[in-house]
């Protein structure tokens, strides 16, 4: 058995903000992917993945018992396949903010959910929200609170616009220009990040009035502007707002930025060669970069691993 491929994702805008109802924009990233496999592989990775799947299936069994109206799985077949050595074969790096658990959730739902909502039907807002709710519950097994967006993106493989918690829609993004100078890129921090501790720092900060004010008046405001600019292809405004967002993140989300990147982050803001922002929850993994001139950015970030995600 070999299941279909599910891709990684990148949340271009909206990390942390979507918890407080900012806009968000999530796009599939086809460079990484994963699939369920059952091929007798006994490598350490396959065995580890299989052990994780066993625990996940126990969780799903409890989930469907406690919340029968949410989702039902063909648990007997799923248990049988896991007992037979099924594992998730994935190139998606874990703890890098590109949705490794999201792709696994999407693959399990696709293969084993009963009465599933499929990609082929008319995806109304209700159906998208129903999927997001199911995926949020499934993915919370991996890192506490989940928005369900990563699996949703992976499952549908189309860009998703988050207007607010209860208002999401599939969207189109401006076409890429293969030799465009402007680019969105991933910068490898070389450190694995963990979502749960970062989210709990954020939730702790939310108890302070000052932090809540900053979120509303600056962070959410610039995030929303960036989403609008990007969708409308207004790249001049996009860079102006991304710069503001980059500053706000550096000043208020320091624990989420690995220490050795604080200076590099500041340097981008000062030189305008590139602007950095969090990719996912931060704490390591990838950092997301925006530049008007990819060659300039590569020169300025020499010695660091860059992956171009989108060119315009």
């Amino acid at each position: 058995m070999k299941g279909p491929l599910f891709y990684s994702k990148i949340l271009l805008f909206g990390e942390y903000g979507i918890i407080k109802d900012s806009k968000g924009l999530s796009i599939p990233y086809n460079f990484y992917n994963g699939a369920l496999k059952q091929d007798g592989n006994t490598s350490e990775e396959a065995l580890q993945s299989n052990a994780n799947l066993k625990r996940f299936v126990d969780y799903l069994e409890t989930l469907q018992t406690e919340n029968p109206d949410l989702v039902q799985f063909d648990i007997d077949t799923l248990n049988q396949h896991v007992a037979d050595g099924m594992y998730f074969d994935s190139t998606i790096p874990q703890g890098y903010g590109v949705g490794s658990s999201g792709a696994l959730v999407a693959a399990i739902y696709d293969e084993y959910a009963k009465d599933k909502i499929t990609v082929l039907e008319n995806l109304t807002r209700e159906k998208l929200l129903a999927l997001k709710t199911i995926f949020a519950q499934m993915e919370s097994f991996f890192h506490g609170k989940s928005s369900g967006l990563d699996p949703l993106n992976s499952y549908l493989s189309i860009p998703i616009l988050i207007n607010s918690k209860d208002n999401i829609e599939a969207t189109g993004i401006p076409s890429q220009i293969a030799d465009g100078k402007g680019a969105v890129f991933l910068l490898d921090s070389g450190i694995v990040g963990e979502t749960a501790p970062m989210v709990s720092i954020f939730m702790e900060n939310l108890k302070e009035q000052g932090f809540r004010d900053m979120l509303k008046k600056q962070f959410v405001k610039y995030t929303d502007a960036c989403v609008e600019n990007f969708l409308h292809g207004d790249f001049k405004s996009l860079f102006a707002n991304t710069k503001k967002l980059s500053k706000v993140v550096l000043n208020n989300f320091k624990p989420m930025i690995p220490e050795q990147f604080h200076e590099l982050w500041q340097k981008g803001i000062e030189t305008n060669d590139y602007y950095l922002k969090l990719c996912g929850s931060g704490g390591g993994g990838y950092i997301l970069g925006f530049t008007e001139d990819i060659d300039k950015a590569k020169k300025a970030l020499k010695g660091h691993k860059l992956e171009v995600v989108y060119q315009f």
Side-chain angles (χ1 to χ4, degrees), residues 6 11 19 41 50 55 57 63 74 88 105 123 155 157 160 164 195 202 226 232 262 267 283 294:
F6 288 92
L11 185 62
I19 297 177
N41 185 344
N50 177 258
R55 287 194 292 278
V57 176
L63 178 68
D74 180 356
F88 190 58
V105 166
L123 288 168
Y155 184 62
S157 227
I160 292 165
S164 66
T195 300
F202 176 76
C226 285
H232 293 117
H262 289 185
K267 195 178 127 193
I294 188 62

Side-chain angles (χ1 to χ4, degrees), residues 197-234:
M198 293 297 127
V199 172
S200 64
I201 292 172
F202 176 76
M203 292 315 224
E204 201 52 45
N205 287 345
L206 274 182
K207 292 175 184 169
E208 294 167 28
Q209 185 64 46
F211 189 81
R212 289 202 300 274
D213 288 346
M214 173 280 302
L215 260 192
K216 200 167 150 187
K217 294 183 181 135
Q218 299 177 7
F219 189 78
V220 169
K221 181 181 155 191
Y222 299 140
T223 296
D224 287 0
C226 285
V227 170
E228 287 300 318
N229 299 157
F230 188 86
L231 288 177
H232 293 117
D234 179 357

Side-chain angles (χ1 to χ4, degrees), residues 26-81:
S26 185
I27 62 170
Y29 182 41
N30 299 1
F31 188 72
Y32 296 120
N33 55 57
L36 291 167
K37 281 188 182 172
Q38 217 175 312
D39 55 9
N41 185 344
T42 54
S43 70
E44 201 177 319
E45 289 83 16
L47 295 174
Q48 180 63 54
S49 170
N50 177 258
N52 289 340
L53 274 179
K54 272 197 184 84
R55 287 194 292 278
F56 186 38
V57 176
D58 291 344
Y59 169 80
L60 294 179
E61 209 161 343
T62 310
L63 178 68
Q64 72 171 19
T65 309
E66 288 175 358
N67 201 341
D69 295 337
L70 179 74
V71 63
Q72 291 290 316
F73 297 95
D74 180 356
I75 285 284
D76 294 342
T77 307
L78 179 49
N79 267 319
Q80 189 54 58
H81 287 169

Side-chain angles (χ1 to χ4, degrees), residues 90-197:
S90 167
T91 59
I92 307 169
Q94 289 186 357
Y96 262 68
V98 286
S100 53
S101 58
L104 169 57
V105 166
I108 293 283
Y109 177 83
D110 181 63
E111 190 67 39
Y112 300 101
K114 294 177 176 174
D115 303 322
K116 66 178 183 182
I117 297 167
T118 69
V119 188
L120 300 171
E121 55 200 270
N122 176 17
L123 288 168
T124 59
R125 187 176 293 173
E126 285 69 34
K127 284 180 186 170
L128 285 173
L129 275 177
L131 274 173
K132 182 176 175 284
T133 308
I134 292 167
F135 289 152
Q137 290 294 323
M138 288 175 72
E139 198 184 32
S140 65
F141 168 78
F142 296 97
H143 43 63
K145 200 170 155 53
S146 160
S147 68
L149 273 172
D150 287 6
L152 185 64
N153 208 298
S154 210
Y155 184 62
L156 301 174
S157 227
I158 46 178
I160 292 165
L161 170 64
I162 303 106
N163 293 302
S164 66
K165 271 195 192 71
D166 308 320
N167 181 350
I168 54 175
E169 56 186 296
T171 188
I173 57 174
S175 301
Q176 291 206 56
I177 298 164
D179 52 358
K181 274 175 110 62
V184 181
F185 60 88
L186 293 173
L187 180 67
D188 190 346
S189 73
I191 308 158
V192 173
E194 281 198 47
T195 300

Side-chain angles (χ1 to χ4, degrees), residues 284-309:
Y286 285 119
I287 292 166
L288 206 50
F290 288 75
T291 179
E292 289 183 81
D293 186 336
I294 188 62
D295 296 328
K296 247 190 196 167
K298 280 181 175 163
K299 210 176 266 170
L301 294 165
K302 204 173 178 304
H304 291 276
K305 258 169 67 185
L306 254 66
E307 261 171 54
V308 174
V309 173

